Amino acid sequence: MTEDIKKGLLGIVVDETEVSKVMPEINSLTYRGYAAQDLCAKCKFEEVAYLILNGELPSEKQLKNFEKVERKERNLSKTLLESIKNFPKKSHPMDVARTAVSIMGLEDKETKDNSPEANLRKVMRIFAKTPVALAAFYRIRKGKKIIKPKNNLTFSENFFYMCFGKVPEKEIVKAFDVSLILYAEHSFNVSTFTARTITSSLSDIHGAITGAIASLKGPLHGGANEEVMHMMNKIKKPENALNWINNALDQKTVVMGFGHRVYKSGDSRVPTMREYFSKVAKVKKDKKFEKIYDIVEKVMIERKNIHPNVDYPTGPTYHLMGFDTDFFTPIFVISRITGWSAHILEQHAANKLIRPLASYKGNSYRKVVPINQR
Ligand code: SDX
């Protein structure tokens, strides 16, 4: 009898969630019922992080308290800081993020406590410390002095400050904040499902987030924003774009930043991010990448009917902001920690061990031949 195999769990609904949904009736990704683009227009990232973690938008008082905790937790332990200083300079920052969260798990006094209260406290520590760890590595590998976090700066402002020593123009900070809002959560994507799978054995939150970071690193998932930039660098100038993309498609190349398992006629986050990409390009007085972007997108839609996903506009936007290409996916991490954590809490609240079946295609039964007779 042939078994019905759903490779890649394509189209399979494995659980329920209250965190987010792509709502076709408004053609938008929604977090706890709010459209992502509405949140981008009216909120800062911290409000959305609160919403994802707690289920409701915060009052002014609740936000103040949330920010107070996040800012208080920004400092790294001496051990973690010394470890980062000793990491090989050529390490990929995603591996740095993964290892840093793992070290945080060694140090956290509540690692074993999976109660919702303890998990929320641990989330705040991971959420606050991961950007600080990444920025420290950003500086160290360039031979620069580490910049300590500043408690009067927002989450986004502080990340720029710790990486570059200054906070950029407000349009740049807003565009970064918007990118974090758009990256924060996307239901049962690979990394979130990884986090939920790890959690389903009643393992701890540091382990689940460590696993999720490893999953996000891959170029078919979060790693695509870095690949988009590599592609744009290969194209070099707008005049080359048409030939490049046509050749790539003739050779059946997978074009990074395009396609999606869920969206088949366009990722609802793209128009918002495209708008902010344009704003950043204007501030930076550099339209080259926008021109390349538009040409590649047009050909992908005309020839393949494949639309861009959110990683397509974020790649060149982060480049224009001045970040090294291998920091693009770590930026995705510092935002998605919120979505992962909400799902980890949800998994704990109504847990069922995740354990699918496989259709066995190996050898039929056979006897072991002792080693001296093989
Ligand atoms: C993210 O799931 C999420 O929600 C993820 C995410 C989130 O917020 O968490 O949205 C973030 O991971 C975005 C996706 C980033 N990845 C990329 O940009 C990598 C490039 N894209 C793909 O390889 C692909 O589109 C996937 C992996 C994203 C989706 O893969 P599927 O659903 O398994 O579809 P598929 O690879 O089987 O493609 C179906 C067809 C194939 O053609 P046929 O064999 O049927 O002829 O579409 C073609 C593919 O070759 N195709 C592409 C393509 N994407 C799909 N062809 C060229 N370039 C592409 N990018």
Side-chain angles (χ1 to χ4, degrees):
M1 194 186 77
T2 53
E3 286 151 307
D4 186 17
I5 301 170
K6 300 285 184 191
K7 222 170 156 71
L9 297 178
L10 199 89
I12 300 291
V13 178
V14 297
D15 209 336
E16 296 176 329
T17 182
E18 292 180 2
V19 189
S20 72
K21 176 179 165 55
V22 176
M23 291 189 183
E25 63 273 31
I26 54 163
N27 190 28
S28 179
L29 167 64
T30 54
Y31 302 155
R32 309 278 189 190
Y34 296 107
Q37 52 270 49
D38 201 11
L39 293 165
C40 287
K42 296 175 189 153
C43 301
K44 61 173 169 172
F45 174 58
E46 287 89 329
E47 290 173 75
V48 178
Y50 182 101
L51 168 72
I52 290 171
L53 292 170
N54 297 284
E56 293 296 339
L57 281 168
S59 64
E60 281 183 1
K61 195 173 159 209
Q62 286 167 325
L63 180 64
K64 233 181 175 158
N65 195 39
F66 181 80
E67 289 180 332
K68 201 170 141 197
V69 176
E70 186 267 312
R71 291 172 194 205
K72 189 177 124 267
E73 294 290 0
R74 280 177 187 173
N75 290 322
L76 305 184
S77 71
K78 224 175 143 208
T79 315
L80 178 51
L81 206 54
E82 282 308 310
S83 305
I84 296 170
K85 284 182 189 165
N86 288 313
F87 288 162
K89 302 268 181 300
K90 288 202 168 122
S91 307
H92 193 288
M94 282 300 276
D95 300 338
V96 169
R98 172 172 52 73
T99 309
V101 172
S102 205
I103 293 173
M104 287 175 213
L106 300 177
E107 296 181 323
D108 202 300
K109 289 192 173 62
E110 297 188 290
T111 299
K112 285 187 194 151
D113 187 348
N114 277 329
S115 65
E117 298 77 21
N119 271 341
L120 267 175
R121 285 193 294 273
K122 287 184 276 181
V123 169
M124 289 310 287
R125 295 196 271 274
I126 299 168
F127 178 56
K129 291 181 203 306
T130 307
V132 183
L134 279 163
F137 185 68
Y138 196 88
R139 305 279 304 174
I140 289 164
R141 74 171 183 182
K142 291 177 190 290
K144 293 184 174 170
K145 251 184 101 182
I146 295 171
I147 299 174
K148 283 191 181 150
K150 246 192 190 168
N151 284 359
N152 61 344
L153 297 179
T154 66
F155 188 89
S156 291
E157 287 169 347
N158 185 50
F159 192 64
F160 278 105
Y161 172 70
M162 291 185 301
C163 289
F164 304 117
K166 59 178 193 239
V167 178
E169 298 87 337
K170 63 177 188 323
E171 294 91 338
I172 304 285
V173 176
K174 177 64 188 171
F176 188 77
D177 224 56
V178 162
S179 77
L180 296 185
I181 294 174
L182 295 175
Y183 266 149
E185 158 60 12
H186 213 236
S187 196
F188 275 40
N189 58 81
V190 196
S191 54
T192 302
F193 190 61
T194 302
R196 290 191 75 130
T197 303
I198 293 171
T199 304
S200 81
S201 73
L202 300 183
S203 188
D204 58 81
I205 197 162
H206 288 88
I209 291 184
T210 299
I213 294 171
S215 166
L216 190 74
K217 184 185 177 191
L220 293 188
H221 191 16
N225 59 8
E226 297 179 18
E227 297 299 328
V228 167
M229 204 57 230
H230 294 313
M231 173 181 80
M232 292 209 171
N233 284 333
K234 271 187 222 151
I235 295 173
K236 280 197 180 87
K237 45 187 182 178
E239 301 85 281
N240 298 340
L242 197 61
N243 265 346
W244 191 95
I245 184 62
N246 276 315
N247 281 338
L249 290 183
D250 291 345
Q251 286 161 31
K252 308 226 172 300
T253 308
V254 172
V255 182
M256 292 297 165
F258 284 84
H260 200 277
R261 176 61 68 82
V262 177
Y263 298 109
K264 293 303 171 200
S265 52
D267 180 333
S268 70
R269 298 164 293 184
V270 168
T272 312
M273 200 57 229
R274 174 70 183 87
E275 190 191 322
Y276 281 89
F277 167 33
S278 199
K279 289 181 193 220
V280 172
K282 203 170 163 200
V283 173
K284 295 289 175 188
K285 298 187 176 60
D286 187 346
K287 299 270 178 188
K288 180 177 96 173
F289 294 109
E290 269 193 294
K291 287 182 189 154
I292 295 175
Y293 180 107
D294 289 339
I295 296 166
V296 170
E297 180 189 41
K298 192 164 178 279
V299 174
M300 282 300 287
I301 295 172
E302 276 174 8
R303 277 191 60 178
K304 300 277 291 183
N305 195 25
I306 297 177
H307 293 254
N309 59 59
V310 70
D311 287 324
Y312 190 51
T314 54
T317 307
Y318 291 151
H319 174 80
L320 288 172
M321 287 173 174
F323 290 105
D324 296 342
T325 304
D326 60 3
F327 258 71
F328 297 0
T329 319
I331 295 170
F332 194 158
V333 168
I334 64 175
S335 161
R336 186 56 65 87
I337 283 170
T338 58
W340 291 330
S341 302
H343 281 275
I344 291 165
L345 285 158
E346 222 175 41
Q347 185 71 35
H348 273 302
N351 189 52
K352 180 84 181 165
L353 182 79
I354 296 172
R355 202 297 188 193
L357 299 173
S359 176
Y360 180 68
K361 294 281 182 266
N363 285 306
S364 47
Y365 172 71
R366 50 191 176 155
K367 280 212 153 74
V368 175
V369 178
I371 193 159
N372 58 355
Q373 291 167 36
R374 268 176 242 157

